[in-house]
Amino acid sequence: MLHKRTPSSNLLINIKKIRNEINLFYTQEIEKKMTFVKQKYYESGPRSAKILARRLQKQRADNTIYKIKDPASNILQYKPEDWIFLHKALEQFGLHSDFIGVIRTLYNKPTAQIKINGSLSNTITLWRGTRQGCPISPISLLFALYIEPLAQWLRQTENIRGISINGEDHRVALYADDILIYLTDPSKTFLELMTLLQKFGNYSGYKLNVQKTQLLAYNYSPPKLLRDKFQVNWDQRSLKYLGIHLPNDVSRLKEINYYPLLEKIKEDINRRNISFLSLSHRIECVKMNILPRYLFLFQALPVEIPLKEFSEIDKIISRFIWQGKKPRVRFKTLQLSKAEGGMGLPYFKGYYYAAQIRPLFSLCSPQFYARWKDIELSIMKDPPVHAALAYTHLDKLIKDIQNPWIKTQLKIWNKVKGEYQLDDKIQIIQWCAFDPGFRPNLLDNRFKIWISKGVTTFYSLTEKGKFREFEDFKKEYHAKEHLSGRGKNRFS
């Protein structure tokens, strides 16, 4: 029997189409940044923040990070006058009037009913939020479009200066209702910022909740006039952004994020009586409760964790699943998959290794985009990350790398290469121009010119395990006649 579509199901399908159109429009037309839209990742926000925080700390100038939290609590209410700004913004973005009309109709005095024991309550008008499960909920898509004019205003205001890295100015980071603003010379720029926020509020209905805003100062102590005028905590040593505690000393990242989590997990385990649960259920508790909390930190923070700390985590989990009794099965056996005779107990060190290696391959992938990727690649000097992955003596190269985040990740990758004996298997992806074992490279620096033509790894010189014919190679990479190095002829 064919399922008959109801009017409500047709409406939901149309709303999802609208959601997809907004997603596509947002990705193509608005500057890419961290927010709740397709192909954006939650952990990207903290990664960018800690990179820029380190830059602020290294600079001798006065700097601050200003976090605006929860501005959406007082905006986008379902009164027509509160939506005028959003409608105008959608018009400026070039969306069709019919499209805007559909959104206006969908959110014109929406109502809901509460179902209790099979009975429906009286109709309730929704003044805030949306119907449950609405695909174009304001906090995800419409709010991203709503707040974009503020981001553009901040970027275009010359008197508000952010962090400059290789000529690019970084001022604002957006993730849903969390806004992070980077300021240089806050004695001048902070007053300009607050004036701008007040003007934007007058135009849009944006309400700044000063009690929920946070400020983190680097090498800066504000004058008394500024302290008295703006009642924010100027002396706090860290702020919380998207689940990560960001300190004014980035060397404390592990200390203020991992150690409190470990203590919280110990507390949770000790205060809960789970003796009635079976062994398999306790392992499921580890998967659902403990692993996600650690996995987020693994993905968001590229900090080095000593092996003894993983041993401590394993001991805590062992006591939890065996309830303080002597283990009847080896811990490593429990960590095997069920197909191998284990019970799938999480292997935390393996998750940590995978989370640290993943950004390295993201840096090498041309299909992957994130703001943190642009920043890290811009401050990474020769050899590039792509070449470092297969570098013959990676341990020596790591000593000369100044970027602490990439340095930590390459250390982990070097350990993985050693544990799984990958050196021989990845020789083919070594870069000719940066391989110290490739003698022609030591005599001729023109191999670096090849990089601009796409000739990077030894794999690009081979086909089916053999070196390619020079004529085929020359045609594909547009080489001139005397590629071998005679005279001045070389790649175009």
Side-chain angles (χ1 to χ4, degrees):
M1 183 176 178
L2 294 175
H3 174 70
K4 184 179 180 180
R5 287 183 176 176
T6 63
S8 59
S9 64
N10 285 328
L11 176 61
L12 182 60
I13 291 172
N14 290 330
I15 292 176
K16 288 183 177 179
K17 289 181 179 178
I18 294 173
R19 185 268 312 274
N20 294 335
E21 289 295 329
I22 294 179
N23 246 327
L24 180 63
F25 165 78
Y26 193 91
T27 304
Q28 293 178 344
E29 300 297 333
I30 299 178
E31 182 177 346
K32 295 177 181 178
K33 53 185 174 293
M34 285 64 72
T35 186
F36 287 148
V37 292
K38 189 177 181 181
Q39 296 179 342
K40 304 300 183 291
Y41 302 95
Y42 186 82
E43 67 268 16
S44 294
R47 291 190 71 88
S48 299
K50 52 85 181 168
I51 296 171
L52 295 173
R54 178 176 179 269
R55 177 56 64 97
L56 287 176
Q57 184 179 342
K58 289 182 65 177
Q59 291 178 348
R60 296 182 180 275
D62 300 338
N63 300 295
T64 61
I65 296 179
Y66 188 59
K67 176 190 171 186
I68 303 173
K69 172 64 180 173
D70 198 21
S73 60
N74 295 316
I75 60 178
L76 290 185
Q77 301 177 16
Y78 295 106
K79 299 176 183 177
E81 59 271 20
D82 293 336
W83 280 67
I84 294 176
F85 180 83
L86 175 63
H87 299 153
K88 291 292 185 183
L90 296 178
E91 290 177 7
Q92 290 298 315
F93 286 134
L95 295 176
H96 196 277
S97 58
D98 292 345
F99 192 88
I100 299 172
V102 171
I103 294 176
R104 183 184 287 113
T105 302
L106 283 173
Y107 291 104
N108 181 26
K109 298 181 180 179
T111 59
Q113 289 178 292
I114 302 173
K115 190 174 184 179
I116 304 175
N117 296 329
S119 301
L120 292 175
S121 68
N122 296 329
T123 300
I124 302 171
T125 301
L126 299 177
W127 294 108
R128 297 186 183 183
T130 62
R131 295 182 180 91
Q132 186 174 2
C134 179
I136 55 173
S137 168
I139 198 61
S140 57
L141 288 174
L142 293 184
F143 180 75
L145 295 171
Y146 170 92
I147 205 65
E148 180 61 22
L150 173 61
Q152 297 292 351
W153 197 352
L154 286 168
R155 297 186 188 107
Q156 294 169 11
T157 303
E158 295 182 357
N159 294 334
I160 296 179
R161 291 181 294 166
I163 310 168
S164 180
I165 299 179
N166 288 349
E168 184 177 359
D169 191 62
H170 300 269
R171 302 187 191 185
V172 59
L174 305 180
Y175 194 99
D177 59 340
D178 271 322
I179 303 176
L180 215 58
I181 301 173
Y182 306 95
L183 295 178
T184 299
D185 193 9
S187 294
K188 299 178 181 178
T189 56
F190 189 78
L191 181 61
E192 186 77 21
L193 170 66
M194 299 305 289
T195 303
L196 185 150
L197 292 175
Q198 184 177 5
K199 289 181 179 179
F200 183 77
N202 294 336
Y203 299 146
S204 64
Y206 176 96
K207 305 296 182 183
L208 178 63
N209 191 339
V210 179
Q211 294 179 346
K212 288 189 175 182
T213 59
Q214 300 179 53
L215 187 143
L216 191 62
Y218 291 85
N219 311 316
Y220 177 65
S221 179
K224 186 176 184 302
L225 182 63
L226 205 59
R227 284 179 180 269
D228 294 340
K229 186 169 184 178
F230 301 104
Q231 300 299 317
V232 295
N233 185 2
W234 292 89
D235 301 316
Q236 65 184 54
R237 301 182 62 192
S238 67
L239 61 79
K240 191 173 183 180
Y241 178 59
L242 301 179
I244 295 296
H245 291 277
L246 191 65
N248 56 3
D249 180 2
V250 292
S251 64
R252 297 175 52 238
L253 269 173
K254 187 181 81 169
E255 173 190 336
I256 68 172
N257 284 284
Y258 278 100
Y259 295 162
L261 175 59
L262 183 62
E263 295 302 319
K264 183 67 171 63
I265 288 173
K266 289 180 181 179
E267 180 185 339
D268 290 346
I269 289 175
N270 293 332
R271 68 182 174 85
R272 291 178 180 174
N273 180 16
I274 58 162
S275 56
F276 61 91
L277 293 178
S278 65
L279 175 63
S280 61
H281 287 150
R282 292 170 195 159
I283 291 176
E284 292 301 320
C285 287
V286 174
K287 291 181 181 179
M288 293 185 293
N289 188 290
I290 300 177
L291 176 60
R293 289 192 274 180
Y294 268 105
L295 187 56
F296 174 67
L297 292 185
F298 292 163
Q299 293 174 325
L301 297 178
V303 295
E304 193 168 3
I305 302 177
L307 295 180
K308 64 179 182 179
E309 295 190 19
F310 288 109
S311 299
E312 184 178 358
I313 295 172
D314 290 344
K315 289 178 182 178
I316 293 172
I317 293 174
S318 179
R319 287 196 296 267
F320 170 71
I321 61 178
W322 295 111
Q323 290 294 281
K325 300 176 183 179
K326 184 178 179 180
R328 299 193 298 272
V329 182
R330 291 182 61 197
F331 196 79
K332 289 186 177 180
T333 302
L334 292 176
Q335 290 178 327
L336 296 174
S337 66
K338 293 182 180 180
E340 297 174 311
M343 298 190 71
L345 181 67
Y347 178 44
F348 279 78
K349 188 177 78 170
Y351 276 103
Y352 169 71
Y353 280 1
Q356 296 303 311
I357 293 172
R358 177 189 169 197
L360 291 177
F361 293 100
S362 297
L363 288 170
C364 299
S365 171
Q367 287 79 32
F368 179 84
Y369 178 86
R371 194 68 181 271
W372 64 266
K373 177 180 177 179
D374 289 344
I375 300 172
E376 295 219 22
L377 288 178
S378 68
I379 58 179
M380 178 71 178
K381 298 180 180 179
D382 286 343
V385 177
H386 315 60
L389 290 178
Y391 203 77
T392 306
H393 305 292
L394 183 55
D395 51 344
K396 296 180 180 179
L397 175 66
I398 289 173
K399 295 179 181 179
D400 299 327
I401 295 177
Q402 300 299 318
N403 187 325
W405 320 122
I406 293 181
K407 189 173 188 175
T408 297
Q409 292 161 353
L410 286 176
K411 281 183 179 179
I412 302 301
W413 168 241
N414 201 31
K415 290 180 182 178
V416 171
K417 283 202 306 176
E419 288 185 20
Y420 293 90
Q421 299 178 356
L422 299 177
D423 287 305
D424 293 338
K425 298 178 181 179
I426 63 175
Q427 281 184 352
I428 195 67
I429 63 169
Q430 289 183 355
W431 282 35
C432 314
F434 296 101
D435 180 15
F438 183 53
R439 290 190 176 184
N441 175 39
L442 303 177
L443 303 174
D444 192 343
N445 64 358
R446 277 175 290 186
F447 287 97
K448 291 185 178 180
I449 301 174
W450 292 19
I451 294 175
S452 63
K453 298 298 178 180
V455 184
T456 54
T457 66
F458 289 110
Y459 177 78
S460 61
L461 304 176
T462 63
E463 186 175 3
K464 295 181 180 181
K466 298 180 180 180
F467 275 103
R468 302 171 60 182
E469 293 291 336
F470 182 75
E471 290 300 322
D472 295 337
F473 177 78
K474 188 172 61 174
K475 288 179 182 179
E476 180 175 348
Y477 295 105
H478 307 290
K480 286 188 176 180
E481 288 295 328
H482 301 285
L483 180 63
S484 57
R486 299 187 190 94
K488 298 182 179 180
N489 290 322
R490 57 185 68 180
F491 273 104
S492 301

